[in-house]
Amino acid sequence: MLSHFLPSSAVVFGPLLISGLVAVILFARYLIFAGSALWFVSANRQALRNRRIQPLSFTRAQLRREAAWSALSAGVFGLVGLSAHLINREFDFVASYASIETHGWFWFWCSIPVAILVHDFYFYWAHRFMHTPGVYGRVHKVHHLSTNPSPLSAFAFHPFEAVLEALGFVLVLALVPMHPVAFLIFSTFMIAFNVMGHLGYELLPRFLVHVPVLRLLNTATSHNQHHRTYRYNYGLYTLVWDQMFGTLHPRYMSSFRRPSLTTPLISSTQTLKEDLPE
C-alpha cells in the first residue's frame, strides 16, 4: 500500500528516514484517537460513572507506560510498512490498485468490511498465539500490564507483538484488493475500534445483545474482561470467532446486559474468583 504513496525515488532519502516518517504519522493519528478518548472519559467521568467497567482509576504511571510502548509500536509499524513496500517492489504481492475504475465503487465499499473480517480472523488466532505458554510471559505480558486498560493501551505492545500486529495489515493487503483510500478508511476504523475496546467505559447500549447481528460486535466490556482474566474474548472487531471456537467468556452476556452498570464487574481490590485463569 505504501507503493501508492511513496514514489520510487523516495528511497534515496534513506529507509530509516522513510520508516521514521511513517511511524510519526501513524503515532500522531493514534494519539488523536486515543488522546481524544482519554480526554473525553476523564472530562466526563462523573457523567459516565454508571458506564464505568471497573472502579479503578487510570494512574499517571500507567498512562506513561502505555504511551511509551505505543510510541515504540509505531516505530515498529513504520519499519514493517517500509519493509513490505520494498519487498512489494520486487515481488508485487500487494493486491491494491490505484484507480477506482479498476473494480468500481461497489467493490470499493465492499472491500472495507471484507478487510475487517480477514483482519479479525487473523487477529483472533494471532492473539491466541500470544497467550501460549512461553510467548505470553516474554511478549504479550507487556500489553496485559494494564489490567484496567485505558485508551492509550490499545497499541502498548512488545516489539515482537507489534511486528505480528503489523503483519495482519500486510496479509490484508496481499489478499484483499483495496484502493488506498479504502485501506485508509479500514485502518482508521481499526484504530477507533481498538481504542473503544480499551476505553474502560461501556458506551454501547445494552439492547445490542437482543439484536442478532449487533450482538456479535466486540465491546469494551468484552475486552476489559479479557484484560482481567488473561483468557477468553480474543477477537478484535467481533465475537464471531470466540463463539465459534468456544472462547467467549461464559459471563460476558450477563456482564454486558446487567441491569445497572453502577455495579462494577470486579471490586477495587481483587478479581472475582470466577474470572481467574484455571
Side-chain angles (χ1 to χ4, degrees), residues 5-257:
F5 298 102
L6 297 176
S8 299
S9 59
V11 180
V12 301
F13 294 106
L16 290 179
L17 179 61
I18 296 173
S19 61
L21 178 61
V22 171
V24 169
I25 294 174
L26 291 174
F27 190 56
R29 184 171 60 155
Y30 170 66
L31 281 182
I32 290 174
F33 283 91
S36 298
L38 181 61
W39 171 84
F40 175 77
V41 296
S42 299
N44 297 280
R45 55 179 171 267
Q46 287 302 318
L48 296 173
R49 63 185 181 277
N50 292 347
R51 293 284 169 179
R52 194 169 180 170
I53 299 174
Q54 295 191 41
L56 305 172
S57 298
F58 308 139
T59 67
R60 291 184 179 180
Q62 171 191 351
L63 296 176
R64 286 195 297 267
R65 183 191 70 244
E66 292 170 349
W69 283 110
S70 295
L72 181 58
S73 294
V76 173
F77 294 160
L79 289 173
V80 174
L82 177 63
S83 299
H85 166 63
L86 296 177
I87 294 172
N88 185 62
R89 290 178 61 198
E90 296 297 325
F91 299 100
D92 193 27
F93 70 92
V94 171
S96 60
Y97 56 94
S99 175
I100 292 179
E101 283 70 27
T102 302
H103 293 288
W105 281 105
F106 179 75
W107 174 250
F108 175 90
W109 293 111
C110 285
S111 67
I112 298 172
V114 170
I116 290 172
L117 286 176
V118 170
H119 188 224
D120 197 44
F121 185 75
Y122 171 87
F123 181 91
Y124 174 84
W125 288 108
H127 196 179
R128 289 194 65 173
F129 170 71
M130 285 290 102
H131 279 265
T132 56
V135 178
Y136 175 84
R138 293 180 175 89
V139 180
H140 194 50
K141 186 178 179 180
V142 167
H143 187 64
H144 273 272
L145 289 174
S146 301
T147 55
N148 182 34
S150 84
L152 291 181
S153 67
F155 278 8
F157 303 129
H158 182 282
F160 180 82
E161 182 170 1
V163 170
L164 198 64
E165 296 283 349
L167 289 178
F169 288 92
V170 176
L171 179 67
V172 168
L173 291 173
L175 297 180
V176 184
M178 297 191 79
H179 186 273
V181 175
F183 181 79
L184 181 63
I185 295 172
F186 156 64
S187 61
T188 302
F189 174 79
M190 182 280 297
I191 293 176
F193 204 92
N194 202 357
V195 167
M196 184 274 292
H198 293 84
L199 200 60
Y201 292 78
E202 186 55 79
L203 301 185
L204 296 178
R206 289 189 293 273
F207 71 75
L208 258 63
V209 297
H210 301 296
V211 182
V213 176
L214 296 182
R215 69 183 299 165
L216 296 176
L217 285 176
N218 204 357
T219 64
T221 299
S222 168
H223 197 65
N224 195 285
Q225 208 164 35
H226 172 79
H227 271 259
R228 296 194 319 277
T229 63
Y230 308 99
R231 59 176 182 168
Y232 299 116
N233 307 351
Y234 295 100
L236 175 58
Y237 308 104
T238 75
L239 302 173
V240 171
W241 315 117
D242 283 300
Q243 290 190 339
M244 185 177 297
F245 298 109
T247 53
L248 186 66
H249 194 291
R251 295 196 307 112
Y252 164 66
M253 287 297 180
S254 60
S255 296
F256 183 84
R257 67 190 174 201

